[in-house]
Coordinates of all heavy atoms in Angstrom, one line a residue:
M1 N -12.4 -24.4 -5.3 CA -11.5 -23.4 -4.8 C -11.4 -23.4 -3.3 O -12.5 -23.4 -2.8 CB -12.0 -22.1 -5.5 CG -11.2 -20.9 -4.9 SD -11.6 -19.3 -5.6 CE -13.0 -18.9 -4.5
I2 N -10.3 -23.3 -2.7 CA -10.2 -23.2 -1.2 C -9.8 -21.7 -1.0 O -9.1 -21.0 -1.7 CB -9.1 -24.1 -0.7 CG1 -9.2 -24.1 0.7 CG2 -7.8 -23.6 -1.3 CD1 -8.3 -25.1 1.4
K3 N -10.6 -21.2 0.0 CA -10.5 -19.7 0.3 C -10.5 -19.6 1.9 O -11.1 -20.2 2.6 CB -11.7 -19.1 -0.2 CG -11.9 -17.6 0.2 CD -11.0 -16.8 -0.6 CE -11.3 -15.3 -0.4 NZ -10.2 -14.5 -0.6
N4 N -9.6 -18.7 2.3 CA -9.5 -18.3 3.7 C -10.5 -17.0 3.9 O -10.1 -16.0 3.4 CB -8.1 -17.9 4.0 CG -8.0 -17.5 5.6 OD1 -8.9 -17.5 6.3 ND2 -6.8 -17.2 6.0
Y5 N -11.6 -17.3 4.5 CA -12.6 -16.3 4.5 C -12.1 -15.2 5.4 O -12.6 -14.0 5.3 CB -13.8 -16.9 5.2 CG -15.0 -15.9 5.4 CD1 -15.7 -15.4 4.3 CD2 -15.4 -15.6 6.6 CE1 -16.7 -14.4 4.5 CE2 -16.4 -14.6 6.8 CZ -17.1 -14.1 5.8 OH -18.1 -13.2 5.9
M6 N -11.2 -15.4 6.3 CA -10.6 -14.3 7.1 C -10.0 -13.2 6.3 O -10.2 -12.0 6.7 CB -9.5 -14.9 8.1 CG -9.1 -14.0 9.2 SD -10.5 -13.4 10.3 CE -10.7 -14.9 11.2
E7 N -9.5 -13.5 5.1 CA -9.0 -12.4 4.3 C -10.1 -11.4 3.9 O -9.9 -10.2 3.9 CB -8.3 -13.1 3.0 CG -7.1 -13.8 3.3 CD -6.5 -14.4 2.1 OE1 -6.5 -13.7 1.0 OE2 -5.9 -15.5 2.2
D8 N -11.3 -12.0 3.5 CA -12.5 -11.1 3.2 C -12.9 -10.3 4.3 O -13.2 -9.1 4.2 CB -13.5 -12.0 2.6 CG -13.2 -12.7 1.3 OD1 -12.3 -12.2 0.6 OD2 -13.9 -13.6 1.0
V9 N -12.9 -10.9 5.5 CA -13.3 -10.1 6.7 C -12.4 -9.1 7.0 O -12.8 -7.9 7.1 CB -13.4 -11.1 7.9 CG1 -13.6 -10.4 9.2 CG2 -14.4 -12.2 7.7
I10 N -11.2 -9.3 6.9 CA -10.2 -8.2 7.1 C -10.3 -7.2 6.0 O -10.3 -6.0 6.3 CB -8.7 -8.7 7.1 CG1 -8.5 -9.4 8.4 CG2 -7.7 -7.6 6.9 CD1 -7.1 -10.0 8.7
D11 N -10.5 -7.4 4.7 CA -10.6 -6.5 3.7 C -11.9 -5.7 3.9 O -11.9 -4.4 3.6 CB -10.8 -7.3 2.3 CG -9.5 -7.8 1.8 OD1 -8.5 -7.2 2.3 OD2 -9.5 -8.6 0.9
N12 N -12.9 -6.2 4.6 CA -14.1 -5.5 4.9 C -14.0 -4.6 6.2 O -14.5 -3.5 6.2 CB -15.3 -6.4 5.0 CG -15.8 -7.0 3.7 OD1 -15.6 -6.3 2.6 ND2 -16.2 -8.2 3.7
Y13 N -13.3 -5.1 7.2 CA -13.3 -4.4 8.4 C -12.1 -3.4 8.5 O -12.4 -2.4 9.2 CB -13.0 -5.4 9.4 CG -13.2 -5.0 10.9 CD1 -14.5 -4.7 11.4 CD2 -12.2 -4.8 11.8 CE1 -14.8 -4.3 12.7 CE2 -12.4 -4.3 13.0 CZ -13.7 -4.1 13.6 OH -13.8 -3.5 14.8
L14 N -11.0 -3.6 7.9 CA -9.9 -2.8 8.1 C -10.1 -1.3 7.7 O -9.8 -0.4 8.3 CB -8.7 -3.4 7.3 CG -7.3 -2.5 7.4 CD1 -6.9 -2.3 8.9 CD2 -6.2 -3.2 6.6
P15 N -10.8 -1.0 6.5 CA -11.0 0.4 6.1 C -11.8 1.2 7.2 O -11.5 2.4 7.3 CB -11.8 0.3 4.8 CG -11.5 -1.1 4.3 CD -11.3 -1.9 5.5
H16 N -12.7 0.6 7.9 CA -13.4 1.2 8.9 C -12.6 1.5 10.1 O -12.6 2.6 10.7 CB -14.7 0.4 9.3 CG -15.6 0.1 8.2 ND1 -16.3 1.1 7.6 CD2 -15.8 -1.0 7.5 CE1 -17.0 0.7 6.5 NE2 -16.7 -0.7 6.4
L17 N -11.7 0.5 10.5 CA -10.9 0.6 11.7 C -9.8 1.7 11.4 O -9.5 2.5 12.2 CB -10.3 -0.7 12.0 CG -9.4 -0.7 13.3 CD1 -10.2 -0.3 14.5 CD2 -8.8 -2.1 13.4
I18 N -9.3 1.7 10.2 CA -8.1 2.5 9.9 C -8.5 4.1 9.9 O -7.7 4.9 10.1 CB -7.5 2.1 8.5 CG1 -5.9 2.3 8.6 CG2 -8.0 3.0 7.4 CD1 -5.3 1.5 7.6
E19 N -9.8 4.3 9.8 CA -10.3 5.7 10.0 C -10.0 6.3 11.2 O -9.9 7.5 11.4 CB -11.8 5.7 9.7 CG -12.2 5.5 8.2 CD -13.7 5.4 8.0 OE1 -14.4 5.6 9.0 OE2 -14.1 5.2 6.9
S20 N -9.8 5.4 12.3 CA -9.5 5.9 13.7 C -8.0 6.2 13.7 O -7.6 6.8 14.8 CB -9.8 4.8 14.7 OG -11.1 4.4 14.7
Y21 N -7.2 6.1 12.7 CA -5.7 6.4 12.7 C -5.5 7.3 11.5 O -4.8 6.8 10.6 CB -4.9 5.1 12.5 CG -5.1 4.1 13.6 CD1 -6.3 3.2 13.8 CD2 -4.4 4.1 14.8 CE1 -6.4 2.3 14.7 CE2 -4.5 3.2 15.9 CZ -5.6 2.3 15.8 OH -5.7 1.5 16.9
P22 N -5.9 8.5 11.6 CA -5.7 9.4 10.4 C -4.2 9.7 10.1 O -3.8 10.2 9.0 CB -6.4 10.7 10.9 CG -6.4 10.7 12.4 CD -6.5 9.2 12.7
D23 N -3.3 9.5 11.1 CA -1.8 9.8 10.8 C -1.0 8.7 10.3 O 0.2 8.9 10.0 CB -1.3 10.4 12.0 CG -1.9 11.6 12.6 OD1 -2.5 12.3 11.7 OD2 -1.9 11.9 13.8
I24 N -1.6 7.5 10.1 CA -0.8 6.5 9.5 C -0.7 6.4 8.1 O -1.6 6.8 7.4 CB -1.1 5.0 10.1 CG1 -2.5 4.7 9.6 CG2 -1.2 5.0 11.7 CD1 -2.9 3.2 9.9
C25 N 0.3 5.7 7.6 CA 0.4 5.7 6.1 C -0.5 4.4 5.6 O -0.7 3.4 6.2 CB 1.9 5.1 5.7 SG 2.1 4.9 4.0
T26 N -1.2 4.8 4.6 CA -2.1 3.9 4.0 C -1.8 3.5 2.5 O -2.7 3.1 1.7 CB -3.5 4.4 4.0 OG1 -3.6 5.7 3.3 CG2 -4.1 4.6 5.4
C27 N -0.5 3.4 2.3 CA 0.0 3.0 1.0 C -0.2 1.6 0.9 O -0.5 0.8 1.9 CB 1.5 3.3 0.8 SG 2.7 2.3 1.8
Q28 N -0.2 1.0 -0.3 CA -0.5 -0.4 -0.5 C 0.4 -1.3 0.3 O -0.1 -2.4 0.9 CB -0.4 -0.7 -2.1 CG -0.8 -2.1 -2.4 CD -2.3 -2.3 -2.1 OE1 -3.1 -1.3 -2.2 NE2 -2.8 -3.5 -1.9
M29 N 1.7 -1.0 0.4 CA 2.6 -1.9 1.1 C 2.3 -2.0 2.6 O 2.3 -3.0 3.1 CB 4.0 -1.3 1.0 CG 5.1 -2.1 1.7 SD 6.8 -1.3 1.6 CE 7.1 -1.4 -0.1
C30 N 2.0 -0.8 3.1 CA 1.6 -0.8 4.7 C 0.3 -1.5 4.9 O 0.2 -2.3 5.9 CB 1.5 0.7 5.2 SG 3.1 1.5 5.3
I31 N -0.7 -1.3 4.1 CA -2.0 -2.0 4.2 C -1.8 -3.5 4.1 O -2.3 -4.3 4.9 CB -3.1 -1.5 3.1 CG1 -3.3 -0.1 3.4 CG2 -4.2 -2.3 3.1 CD1 -4.0 0.3 4.8
E32 N -1.0 -3.9 3.1 CA -0.7 -5.4 3.0 C 0.1 -5.9 4.2 O -0.2 -7.0 4.6 CB 0.0 -5.7 1.7 CG -0.9 -5.5 0.4 CD -0.2 -5.8 -0.9 OE1 0.9 -6.1 -0.8 OE2 -0.9 -5.6 -1.9
D33 N 1.1 -5.1 4.8 CA 1.7 -5.6 5.8 C 0.8 -5.7 7.2 O 0.9 -6.6 7.9 CB 2.9 -4.5 6.2 CG 4.1 -4.6 5.3 OD1 4.1 -5.6 4.5 OD2 4.8 -3.7 5.3
I34 N -0.1 -4.7 7.2 CA -1.1 -4.8 8.3 C -1.9 -6.1 8.2 O -2.2 -6.8 9.2 CB -2.0 -3.5 8.4 CG1 -1.2 -2.4 8.8 CG2 -3.2 -3.8 9.3 CD1 -1.9 -1.0 8.5
K35 N -2.4 -6.4 7.0 CA -3.2 -7.6 6.8 C -2.4 -8.9 7.0 O -3.0 -9.7 7.7 CB -3.7 -7.6 5.2 CG -4.9 -6.5 4.9 CD -5.2 -6.6 3.6 CE -6.1 -5.5 3.1 NZ -6.4 -5.7 1.7
A36 N -1.2 -8.9 6.5 CA -0.4 -10.0 6.8 C -0.1 -10.3 8.2 O -0.2 -11.6 8.7 CB 0.9 -9.9 6.0
I37 N 0.2 -9.3 9.0 CA 0.5 -9.5 10.4 C -0.8 -10.0 11.1 O -0.7 -10.9 11.9 CB 1.0 -8.1 11.0 CG1 2.4 -8.0 10.5 CG2 0.9 -8.2 12.6 CD1 2.9 -6.5 10.8
A38 N -1.9 -9.3 10.8 CA -3.2 -9.7 11.5 C -3.5 -11.2 11.1 O -3.9 -12.0 12.0 CB -4.2 -8.8 11.1
L39 N -3.4 -11.5 9.8 CA -3.8 -12.8 9.4 C -2.9 -13.9 10.0 O -3.3 -15.1 10.3 CB -3.7 -13.1 7.9 CG -4.9 -12.4 7.2 CD1 -4.6 -12.2 5.6 CD2 -6.1 -13.2 7.3
N40 N -1.7 -13.5 10.3 CA -0.8 -14.6 10.9 C -1.1 -14.7 12.4 O -0.7 -15.9 13.0 CB 0.7 -14.0 10.8 CG 1.2 -14.4 9.5 OD1 0.9 -15.4 8.8 ND2 2.2 -13.5 9.0
H41 N -1.9 -13.9 13.0 CA -2.4 -14.1 14.4 C -3.7 -14.5 14.6 O -4.2 -14.7 15.7 CB -1.9 -12.8 15.1 CG -0.5 -12.6 15.2 ND1 0.2 -11.8 14.4 CD2 0.3 -13.1 16.2 CE1 1.5 -11.8 14.7 NE2 1.6 -12.5 15.8
L42 N -4.5 -14.5 13.5 CA -5.9 -14.9 13.6 C -6.1 -16.3 13.1 O -5.4 -16.8 12.1 CB -6.8 -14.0 12.7 CG -6.9 -12.6 13.3 CD1 -7.5 -11.6 12.2 CD2 -7.9 -12.5 14.6
T43 N -7.0 -17.0 13.6 CA -7.3 -18.3 13.3 C -7.9 -18.3 11.8 O -8.9 -17.7 11.4 CB -8.4 -19.1 14.1 OG1 -7.8 -19.1 15.4 CG2 -8.6 -20.5 13.7
P44 N -7.3 -19.0 10.8 CA -7.8 -19.2 9.5 C -9.1 -19.8 9.5 O -9.5 -20.7 10.2 CB -6.8 -19.9 8.7 CG -5.9 -20.6 9.7 CD -6.0 -19.9 10.9
T45 N -9.9 -19.4 8.6 CA -11.3 -19.9 8.4 C -11.5 -20.3 6.9 O -11.8 -19.5 6.0 CB -12.4 -18.9 8.7 OG1 -12.2 -18.5 10.1 CG2 -13.7 -19.6 8.7
Y46 N -11.0 -21.6 6.5 CA -11.1 -22.0 5.2 C -12.4 -22.7 4.8 O -13.0 -23.2 5.6 CB -9.9 -23.0 4.9 CG -8.6 -22.4 5.0 CD1 -7.9 -22.6 6.1 CD2 -8.1 -21.7 3.9 CE1 -6.5 -22.0 6.2 CE2 -6.8 -21.1 4.0 CZ -6.0 -21.3 5.1 OH -4.9 -20.8 5.2
F47 N -12.8 -22.4 3.6 CA -14.0 -23.1 3.2 C -13.8 -23.5 1.6 O -13.0 -22.9 0.9 CB -15.2 -22.2 3.3 CG -15.3 -21.0 2.5 CD1 -15.9 -21.0 1.2 CD2 -14.8 -19.8 2.9 CE1 -15.8 -19.9 0.4 CE2 -14.8 -18.7 2.1 CZ -15.4 -18.7 0.8
V48 N -14.6 -24.4 1.3 CA -14.5 -24.8 -0.2 C -16.0 -25.0 -0.6 O -16.2 -25.2 -2.0 CB -13.8 -26.2 -0.4 CG1 -12.4 -26.0 -0.1 CG2 -14.3 -27.4 0.4
T49 N -16.9 -24.9 0.2 CA -18.4 -25.1 -0.3 C -19.2 -23.9 0.2 O -18.8 -23.1 1.0 CB -19.0 -26.3 0.3 OG1 -19.1 -26.2 1.7 CG2 -18.2 -27.5 0.0
R50 N -20.3 -23.7 -0.4 CA -21.3 -22.6 0.0 C -21.7 -22.8 1.4 O -21.8 -21.8 2.2 CB -22.5 -22.6 -0.9 CG -23.4 -21.6 -0.6 CD -24.6 -21.5 -1.7 NE -25.7 -20.7 -1.4 CZ -25.7 -19.4 -1.2 NH1 -24.6 -18.7 -1.4 NH2 -26.9 -18.7 -0.9
E51 N -21.8 -24.1 1.9 CA -22.2 -24.2 3.3 C -21.1 -23.8 4.2 O -21.3 -23.2 5.3 CB -22.4 -25.7 3.6 CG -23.8 -26.2 3.0 CD -23.6 -26.5 1.4 OE1 -22.5 -26.6 0.9 OE2 -24.7 -26.7 0.8
G52 N -19.8 -24.0 3.9 CA -18.7 -23.5 4.6 C -18.7 -22.0 4.8 O -18.4 -21.4 5.8
L53 N -19.0 -21.3 3.6 CA -19.0 -19.9 3.6 C -20.1 -19.4 4.6 O -20.0 -18.5 5.2 CB -19.3 -19.4 2.1 CG -19.5 -17.8 2.0 CD1 -18.3 -17.1 2.5 CD2 -19.8 -17.5 0.6
L54 N -21.3 -20.0 4.5 CA -22.3 -19.6 5.3 C -22.0 -19.8 6.8 O -22.3 -18.9 7.6 CB -23.7 -20.4 5.0 CG -24.2 -20.0 3.6 CD1 -25.4 -21.0 3.3 CD2 -24.8 -18.6 3.6
Y55 N -21.4 -20.8 7.1 CA -21.0 -21.1 8.5 C -20.0 -20.0 9.0 O -20.0 -19.5 10.1 CB -20.3 -22.5 8.7 CG -19.7 -22.8 10.1 CD1 -20.4 -23.0 11.1 CD2 -18.2 -22.6 10.2 CE1 -19.9 -23.1 12.4 CE2 -17.7 -22.7 11.5 CZ -18.6 -23.0 12.6 OH -17.9 -23.1 13.8
S56 N -19.1 -19.6 8.2 CA -18.1 -18.6 8.4 C -18.8 -17.3 8.7 O -18.4 -16.5 9.5 CB -17.0 -18.4 7.3 OG -16.4 -19.7 7.1
K57 N -19.8 -16.9 7.9 CA -20.5 -15.7 8.0 C -21.3 -15.7 9.4 O -21.3 -14.6 10.0 CB -21.5 -15.4 6.8 CG -20.7 -15.0 5.6 CD -21.6 -14.7 4.5 CE -20.7 -14.3 3.3 NZ -21.4 -13.4 2.4
V58 N -21.8 -16.8 9.8 CA -22.5 -16.9 11.0 C -21.6 -16.7 12.2 O -21.8 -15.9 13.1 CB -23.3 -18.2 11.2 CG1 -23.8 -18.4 12.5 CG2 -24.4 -18.2 10.2
E59 N -20.4 -17.5 12.0 CA -19.3 -17.2 13.1 C -18.9 -15.8 13.2 O -18.6 -15.3 14.4 CB -18.2 -18.1 12.7 CG -17.0 -18.1 13.8 CD -17.3 -18.8 15.2 OE1 -18.3 -19.5 15.1 OE2 -16.7 -18.4 16.0
E60 N -18.8 -15.1 12.1 CA -18.4 -13.7 12.1 C -19.2 -12.8 13.0 O -18.8 -11.7 13.5 CB -18.3 -13.2 10.7 CG -17.9 -11.8 10.6 CD -18.0 -11.3 9.1 OE1 -18.2 -12.1 8.1 OE2 -17.8 -10.1 8.9
M61 N -20.4 -13.1 13.2 CA -21.2 -12.4 14.0 C -21.2 -12.4 15.5 O -21.7 -11.5 16.2 CB -22.7 -12.6 13.7 CG -23.2 -12.4 12.3 SD -24.9 -12.8 12.0 CE -24.8 -13.7 10.5
T62 N -20.3 -13.3 16.1 CA -20.2 -13.4 17.4 C -19.3 -12.2 18.0 O -18.4 -11.7 17.3 CB -19.5 -14.7 17.9 OG1 -18.2 -14.7 17.5 CG2 -20.3 -15.9 17.3
F63 N -19.5 -11.9 19.2 CA -18.9 -10.8 19.9 C -17.4 -11.1 20.0 O -16.5 -10.2 19.7 CB -19.4 -10.6 21.3 CG -18.7 -9.4 22.0 CD1 -18.9 -8.1 21.7 CD2 -17.8 -9.7 23.0 CE1 -18.3 -7.2 22.3 CE2 -17.2 -8.7 23.7 CZ -17.4 -7.4 23.3
Q64 N -17.0 -12.3 20.4 CA -15.6 -12.7 20.6 C -14.8 -12.6 19.3 O -13.7 -12.2 19.2 CB -15.5 -14.0 21.2 CG -14.1 -14.4 21.6 CD -13.5 -13.5 22.7 OE1 -14.1 -13.2 23.7 NE2 -12.3 -12.9 22.3
Y65 N -15.5 -13.0 18.2 CA -14.9 -13.1 16.8 C -14.5 -11.6 16.5 O -13.4 -11.3 16.1 CB -15.9 -13.5 15.9 CG -15.4 -13.8 14.4 CD1 -14.8 -15.0 14.1 CD2 -15.5 -12.7 13.6 CE1 -14.4 -15.2 12.8 CE2 -15.0 -12.9 12.3 CZ -14.5 -14.2 11.9 OH -14.1 -14.3 10.5
K66 N -15.5 -10.7 16.6 CA -15.3 -9.2 16.4 C -14.2 -8.6 17.2 O -13.3 -7.8 16.8 CB -16.5 -8.4 16.6 CG -17.5 -8.8 15.5 CD -18.9 -8.0 15.6 CE -19.8 -8.4 14.6 NZ -21.1 -7.7 14.7
A67 N -14.2 -9.0 18.6 CA -13.2 -8.5 19.4 C -11.7 -8.9 19.1 O -10.7 -8.2 19.1 CB -13.4 -8.9 20.8
D68 N -11.7 -10.3 18.7 CA -10.4 -10.8 18.3 C -9.8 -10.1 17.1 O -8.6 -9.8 16.9 CB -10.3 -12.3 18.1 CG -10.7 -13.1 19.4 OD1 -10.5 -12.5 20.5 OD2 -11.0 -14.3 19.3
L69 N -10.7 -9.9 16.1 CA -10.4 -9.3 14.9 C -9.9 -7.9 15.1 O -8.8 -7.5 14.6 CB -11.6 -9.2 13.9 CG -11.4 -8.6 12.6 CD1 -10.4 -9.3 11.8 CD2 -12.8 -8.5 11.9
A70 N -10.7 -7.1 15.9 CA -10.2 -5.7 16.1 C -8.9 -5.6 16.9 O -8.0 -4.8 16.6 CB -11.3 -5.0 16.9
N71 N -8.8 -6.5 17.9 CA -7.5 -6.6 18.6 C -6.3 -6.9 17.8 O -5.3 -6.2 17.8 CB -7.7 -7.6 19.8 CG -6.4 -7.7 20.6 OD1 -6.0 -6.6 21.1 ND2 -5.9 -8.8 21.0
E72 N -6.4 -7.9 17.0 CA -5.2 -8.2 16.1 C -5.0 -7.1 15.0 O -3.8 -6.9 14.7 CB -5.5 -9.6 15.4 CG -5.4 -10.7 16.4 CD -4.1 -10.8 17.3 OE1 -3.1 -10.3 16.8 OE2 -4.3 -11.2 18.4
L73 N -6.1 -6.5 14.5 CA -5.8 -5.5 13.5 C -5.1 -4.3 14.2 O -4.3 -3.7 13.6 CB -7.1 -5.1 12.8 CG -7.6 -6.1 11.7 CD1 -9.0 -5.8 11.1 CD2 -6.5 -6.0 10.5
T74 N -5.6 -3.9 15.3 CA -5.1 -2.8 16.0 C -3.6 -3.0 16.4 O -2.8 -2.2 16.1 CB -5.8 -2.6 17.4 OG1 -7.2 -2.3 17.0 CG2 -5.3 -1.4 18.1
K75 N -3.3 -4.2 16.8 CA -1.9 -4.5 17.0 C -0.9 -4.4 15.7 O 0.1 -3.9 15.7 CB -1.7 -5.9 17.6 CG -2.1 -6.2 19.0 CD -1.9 -7.6 19.4 CE -2.5 -8.0 20.7 NZ -2.3 -9.4 20.9
A76 N -1.5 -5.0 14.7 CA -0.9 -4.9 13.4 C -0.6 -3.4 12.9 O 0.4 -3.0 12.4 CB -1.6 -5.7 12.3
I77 N -1.8 -2.6 13.1 CA -1.5 -1.2 12.7 C -0.5 -0.6 13.5 O 0.3 0.3 12.9 CB -3.0 -0.4 12.9 CG1 -4.0 -0.9 11.9 CG2 -2.8 1.1 12.9 CD1 -5.4 -0.5 12.2
E78 N -0.5 -0.8 14.8 CA 0.6 -0.2 15.6 C 2.0 -0.7 15.2 O 2.9 0.2 15.1 CB 0.4 -0.6 17.1 CG -0.9 0.0 17.7 CD -0.7 1.5 17.8 OE1 0.4 2.1 18.1 OE2 -1.8 2.2 17.6
I79 N 2.2 -2.0 14.9 CA 3.4 -2.5 14.4 C 3.9 -1.7 13.1 O 5.0 -1.3 13.0 CB 3.4 -3.9 14.3 CG1 3.3 -4.6 15.6 CG2 4.7 -4.5 13.6 CD1 3.0 -6.1 15.6
V80 N 3.0 -1.7 12.1 CA 3.4 -1.1 10.9 C 3.5 0.4 10.9 O 4.4 0.9 10.4 CB 2.3 -1.6 9.9 CG1 2.6 -0.8 8.5 CG2 2.3 -3.1 9.7
S81 N 2.7 1.0 11.8 CA 2.8 2.4 11.8 C 4.2 2.9 12.5 O 4.7 4.0 12.2 CB 1.7 3.1 12.5 OG 1.8 2.8 13.9
H82 N 4.8 2.1 13.4 CA 6.0 2.4 14.0 C 7.2 1.7 13.3 O 8.5 2.2 13.5 CB 6.1 1.8 15.4 CG 5.1 2.6 16.3 ND1 3.7 2.2 16.6 CD2 5.3 3.7 17.0 CE1 3.2 3.1 17.4 NE2 4.1 4.0 17.7
N83 N 7.0 0.9 12.3 CA 8.1 0.3 11.5 C 7.7 0.0 10.1 O 7.7 -1.1 9.6 CB 8.3 -1.2 12.2 CG 8.7 -1.1 13.7 OD1 9.7 -0.5 14.0 ND2 7.9 -1.5 14.5
P84 N 7.4 1.1 9.5 CA 7.1 0.9 8.0 C 8.3 0.5 7.2 O 9.4 0.8 7.5 CB 6.6 2.4 7.5 CG 7.3 3.3 8.5 CD 7.4 2.5 9.8
R85 N 8.0 -0.3 6.2 CA 9.1 -0.8 5.3 C 9.7 0.1 4.3 O 10.4 -0.3 3.4 CB 8.7 -2.2 4.6 CG 8.5 -3.3 5.5 CD 8.3 -4.7 4.7 NE 7.1 -4.6 3.9 CZ 7.1 -5.2 2.7 NH1 8.2 -5.7 2.2 NH2 6.0 -5.1 2.0
H86 N 9.2 1.4 4.3 CA 9.6 2.4 3.4 C 10.0 3.7 4.2 O 9.6 3.8 5.4 CB 8.5 2.7 2.4 CG 7.2 3.1 3.0 ND1 7.0 4.4 3.5 CD2 6.1 2.4 3.2 CE1 5.8 4.4 4.0 NE2 5.2 3.2 3.9
D87 N 10.6 4.7 3.5 CA 10.9 5.9 4.2 C 9.6 6.7 4.4 O 8.7 6.6 3.6 CB 11.8 6.8 3.2 CG 13.2 6.1 3.1 OD1 13.6 5.4 4.1 OD2 13.8 6.2 2.0
S88 N 9.6 7.5 5.4 CA 8.3 8.3 5.7 C 8.1 9.3 4.7 O 8.8 9.8 4.0 CB 8.6 9.0 7.1 OG 8.7 8.0 8.1

């Protein structure tokens, strides 16, 4: 099975970040849009083996990795909150 580890990272990180934005919509459509926008701007991290997963988890601990992740998720939150695909 091939897996983009970045999807798991976003799934784990986004709920904590979104707490800083109490006024945005958190419906499934908006959350998926935020994830999609962020994933399109972050470098994918694919793995197919346990060793690949472990390498990805080690890489996740770097400061730059966390900064890039927070930056792209914040941009995506701003985009979706100003342009939701549904009525308010």
Side-chain angles (χ1 to χ4, degrees):
M1 174 178 85
I2 189 167
K3 175 76 174 155
N4 181 0
Y5 181 65
M6 191 60 71
E7 291 179 40
D8 292 341
V9 172
I10 285 178
D11 285 341
N12 289 327
Y13 192 76
L14 183 58
H16 302 291
L17 183 62
I18 218 157
E19 290 174 359
S20 303
Y21 298 86
D23 296 331
I24 69 165
C25 179
T26 57
C27 74
Q28 188 66 30
M29 181 184 295
C30 287
I31 294 297
E32 288 180 4
D33 286 345
I34 291 167
K35 289 178 185 180
I37 291 167
L39 283 166
N40 282 327
H41 291 94
L42 291 164
T43 303
T45 306
Y46 292 102
F47 68 89
V48 292
T49 64
R50 180 168 166 73
E51 290 80 13
L53 174 60
L54 293 174
Y55 172 78
S56 297
K57 287 187 177 201
V58 168
E59 180 69 19
E60 181 184 347
M61 293 183 226
T62 68
F63 178 78
Q64 187 61 51
Y65 186 94
K66 290 179 183 178
D68 291 345
L69 178 65
N71 184 46
E72 292 304 332
L73 280 171
T74 300
K75 286 180 190 176
I77 288 169
E78 292 295 325
I79 290 168
V80 172
S81 67
H82 289 96
N83 303 291
R85 290 191 300 140
H86 57 73
D87 295 330
S88 298

